[in-house]
Amino acid sequence: MPEISSFLNSVFCSIHTFIVRKFWLFKPSWTTPAYWCSEGNIIGSGIFISPKGVLEHAGSVGLALIIWVLGGGVAALGSLCYAELGVTIPKSGGDYSYVTEIFGGLAGFLLLWSAVLIMYPTSLAVIALTFSNYVLQPVFPNCIPPYNASRILSMVCLLLLTWVNSSSVRWATRIQDIFTAGKLLALTLIIVVGFIQIFKGNYKELTPSNAFRFWMTPSVGHLALAFLQGSFAFSGWNFLNYVTEELVDPRRNLPRAIFISIPLVTFVYTFTNIAYFTAMSPHELLSSNAVAVTFGEKLLGYFSWVMPVSVALSTFGGINGYLFTSSRLCFSGAREGHLPSLLAMIHVKNCTPIPALLICCLATLIIMLVGDTYTLINYVSFINYLCYGVTIIGLIVLRWRKPKIFRPIKVNLLIPITYLAFWAFLLVFSLYSEPIVCGIGLIIILTGVPVFFLGVYWRNKPKCVNRLIESLTCWGQKLCFVVYPQCGSAEEEHSHSSSSHSWRLVSDTAVRKSHQRGL
């Protein structure tokens, strides 16, 4: 079986290399590794986490599989809307850039605020906890790994990768390249073994009479939570919109990448779940703390160790990819003046955004201590869908405000309307089913309103406040040994964004003083 997996992995990598060389989606620059981050995030850790949550809320195997297929369809609708936005507003930054352009600085700031404090840290926490579960499960085969051991290992992994990303961009991208293979190995092995099981006639749980035998009657709220669990695995479908400026011919390659990737991801996820049910009953899957490990123990025999190792490699690479992209979002937000200017600085020698990485790491460590994996998935998926919906509402608003603007891609209005109808259903019933989890997310987002007015909108701050911010910025620069990427970049950015005046004014002074002091 490992020989088959190795062969298919080689074929997949060869096809991947051909596609990159054929279409050359990204310009040959320092941003090229972002493509590998997309590979590591779209298909990766979520498929090893979400199946249990989807099945638990769906109540039957058949409905769970339908939810996986529908999840791919919803992602496809959202991707088409984002394709129009991506070529109409050809800016990197994805949701953040589109919402800022259409609704103004406050809306863009709130989206950035939620991404920095909720979406990325929570996703990182979930993936880190999954990494520790899969590493520890073979050590504790008959029980759930101890809480403290799981948290400590997750924190060690996160701190290690934060140090790597702070030390060298090259190391971070090499880790992404190497550990992507773990994801490919695990998924290829699961799907191939699943097909072999089906050919042998081991598909009892997939027959209609068994697949739609409900052990509970799911409510509408349960269905909404099942979709939230599944949507976590699909998160990343909008990643290319974050690097639109770095795409070659985005008007052609952005929709092409979407049309290829979403059906492929849906196929892989659906057949991975089918493979799980060829080896496990629903009860066995729900009682498993590491689904892929249980699958390997049942079917791979002596080679069962391949599965936890592969998933651990995949999740390790996923943590690295999320750290890379989340710190970059903090960096971009700071350059626009929506976050403290210290986050827009990089190390003088390593050229890495150390302050942004430390903020992401700290937020993740805090979130890791306050919830279990599946609660955190509901938490982050709710906020993700909220942001997706606001962005797609922006598409309709832009159609109304600027009907004559050039749109290389123009989707039928039924597509965003259909997506928003599903979006409203999902948010309303998720909030009804998990009011505390979803409500906390909304409250955290709304805390960004006073922060925006105090930190960004309020320009004429008292001198004592400016001196305090200047002192904190200087202290942060000395601690992290960071400066702006280019001398004078702050002034250049200031001329392009009036909203950045407040936080950047004092930081320019801080930079000049730091240079005078020999920083």
Side-chain angles (χ1 to χ4, degrees), residues 13 26 77 87 117 131-132 221 242 270 277 303 316 379 412 465:
C13 291
F26 285 84
L77 293 177
V87 296
L117 291 185
F131 167 81
S132 63
Y242 280 86
T270 304
F277 292 119
F303 294 101
F316 192 81
Y379 180 60
N412 191 299
V465 175

Side-chain angles (χ1 to χ4, degrees), residues 134-164:
Y134 272 89
V135 170
L136 294 174
Q137 192 62 43
V139 182
F140 301 93
N142 299 319
C143 63
I144 297 175
Y147 177 91
N148 290 336
S150 177
R151 261 54 182 185
I152 290 172
L153 182 58
S154 300
M155 291 178 180
V156 169
C157 175
L158 179 66
L159 292 171
L160 173 64
L161 286 173
T162 301
W163 175 78
V164 169

